Amino acid sequence: MSKTKGGGSTRNGRDSNAQRLGVKAFGGQTVPAGSILIRQRGTKFHPGKNVKRASDDSLFAMVDGVVKFEHKDKKRQQISVYPAVAAAK
């Protein structure tokens, strides 16, 4: 008799790669233009001033500056990037 049961091949031996979502630049941090601020699925955060939304819902900076997390309204948050000169005032 065999020690183990008849083993056959398994059908669930696959796993997908991690998507590496989340905040990449935090509030108060200085970022260059074009850098990704957030990777997300859906619009958990909305784009504010000087920020655009990519086709995969990621948010990225349009100008060099400082990141600021703000409230768009009671339920929604937005992320803005203010030029470093304006932020220093």
Side-chain angles (χ1 to χ4, degrees), residues 7-86:
S9 63
T10 110
R11 283 188 287 169
N12 61 353
R14 294 170 300 283
D15 195 7
S16 59
N17 294 328
Q19 294 183 321
R20 290 158 178 93
L21 301 177
V23 178
K24 306 299 179 188
F26 295 90
Q29 200 169 334
T30 306
V31 293
S35 66
I36 291 173
L37 307 174
I38 284 207
R39 289 235 183 244
Q40 61 184 357
R41 294 292 167 258
T43 50
K44 183 179 169 91
F45 293 93
H46 294 261
K49 289 193 184 298
N50 301 317
V51 174
K52 294 279 186 183
R53 183 170 67 95
S55 59
D56 67 346
D57 294 321
S58 296
L59 300 182
F60 61 93
M62 296 295 292
V63 297
D64 296 353
V66 179
V67 179
K68 187 163 188 338
F69 284 73
E70 305 165 326
H71 286 283
K72 189 169 185 170
D73 53 38
K74 278 191 171 185
K75 292 185 179 179
R76 298 185 292 183
Q77 279 190 301
Q78 72 179 13
I79 301 176
S80 298
V81 174
Y82 294 103
V85 177

